Amino acid sequence: MATTRHPISLAHLTVLDTTPPELVTVAAAAGFRTIGIRLTATPSVGIPPYDILRDGPILRETLLRLADTGVSVLDTEFLRFEPDQPVGVPEGFLEVSARLGAKNVLVMSAEPDEARTIERFGDLCDRAAAYGLQVCLEFAVYTGVRTLAHAAQVVAKAKRPNASVLVDALHFSRSGGIPAHIGQVDPALLRYAQICDASADVPAPTDTRALIREARTGRLLPGEGALPLAELVAALPAGVPLAIEAPCRATAELPAVERARRAYRALSGLVG
């Protein structure tokens, strides 16, 4: 059976030094037709502060550039359930996601209690459904939802029609995942995936700081590392979008458009 080519998307984290309007322009220049936008920006070194969660200049300019370029929004991110923060969804997040035309919103959970994660996830799904949004639960070994199997279990228990699981190639690998595990999950739960490569030097599963550091600044482009990406992509449902999320310290000083072009070439080579 012929394989359906996977649409490719640029995740904001790959060029996190761009504001949302800049991200649209950079993605279009690099050849991407879809993007993921980080709506909740935490200002830090190299990351510009911006406010897109209200009807202000940033949101209006982003909408204008999306219309001008024809670029669409695959997902918005990211939401995180914290045990000490009962409000897990910033005001305006779902409304703005819908205005941007996003199809999915991404959430992770730091809740140590599974029942609490399921409760909060179900509530988010209900709220997102009113905006026509799918909710994708991302897992990582250092969060409250550690593996693909655990994420699928949480989604199954939540029993929401707009619930799905997000497979991030790095988190999947670092949690012990191998491509064969993909087939153990209902393919309907896999709406899209995030792709990057990674070093053969694997941080210890208990070294949370090293794992987070790798996830934020130590990823590699497909073909530059040791992950079995071709096998992973082959195991995913045919035609699901693949978003490249590959922030890398070694190339951080390059212009954003050059990093985006390199990401486009690497991901295109993987799926082509």
Side-chain angles (χ1 to χ4, degrees):
M1 183 175 67
T3 301
T4 302
R5 189 179 189 276
H6 298 271
I8 61 176
S9 182
L10 179 65
H12 204 161
L13 194 61
T14 305
V15 287
L16 196 55
D17 51 325
T18 60
T19 63
E22 292 167 348
L23 170 65
V24 177
T25 299
V26 163
F32 289 97
R33 306 306 300 157
T34 61
I35 57 173
I37 299 181
R38 182 165 287 215
L39 300 184
T40 51
T42 303
S44 62
V45 177
I47 300 176
Y50 56 80
D51 178 8
I52 194 172
L53 293 181
R54 62 184 179 88
D55 191 12
I58 291 291
L59 176 58
R60 289 196 292 269
E61 182 62 22
T62 303
L63 290 168
L64 181 63
R65 294 196 192 188
L66 288 171
D68 285 348
T69 61
V71 169
S72 62
V73 179
L74 174 65
D75 71 332
T76 54
E77 58 174 9
F78 83 101
L79 300 173
R80 186 175 172 94
F81 299 143
E82 300 283 359
D84 58 345
Q85 297 178 14
V87 179
V89 184
E91 185 176 354
F93 189 98
L94 297 176
E95 293 88 343
V96 168
S97 296
R99 285 192 64 184
L100 291 168
K103 297 176 176 63
N104 309 279
V105 296
L106 187 59
V107 64
M108 298 183 85
S109 179
E111 288 279 4
D113 179 63
E114 182 184 282
R116 182 67 179 138
T117 290
I118 293 169
E119 178 186 356
R120 297 183 71 170
F121 182 72
D123 177 67
L124 173 58
C125 288
D126 291 343
R127 294 177 60 185
Y131 295 94
L133 295 164
Q134 192 85 7
V135 180
C136 302
L137 178 62
E138 183 175 5
F139 59 92
V141 70
Y142 53 83
T143 70
V145 182
R146 299 168 59 85
T147 65
L148 173 60
H150 190 192
Q153 179 180 338
V154 168
V155 168
K157 290 181 177 178
K159 298 179 181 177
R160 298 304 199 277
N162 62 329
S164 57
V165 174
L166 189 282
V167 173
D168 176 299
L170 178 66
H171 295 319
F172 180 59
S173 174
R174 297 316 189 224
S175 66
I178 60 174
H181 292 160
I182 298 292
Q184 299 170 8
V185 174
D186 180 355
L189 295 182
L190 303 174
R191 299 264 305 178
Y192 70 106
Q194 291 180 334
I195 299 296
C196 70
D197 217 329
S199 169
D201 298 325
V202 182
T206 54
D207 193 345
T208 297
R209 291 184 67 179
L211 288 163
I212 292 175
R213 185 167 58 248
E214 179 184 46
R216 290 179 178 172
T217 63
R219 298 172 184 245
L220 302 173
L221 294 176
E224 295 181 347
L227 300 187
L229 295 180
E231 292 84 353
L232 173 60
V233 170
L236 291 166
V240 298
L242 304 177
I244 188 159
E245 185 172 79
C248 182
R249 286 185 300 274
T251 57
E253 299 305 314
L254 291 175
V257 70
E258 176 59 25
R259 279 174 278 141
R261 285 177 176 143
R262 292 184 179 200
Y264 182 87
R265 288 195 297 267
L267 189 53
S268 296
L270 178 65
V271 301

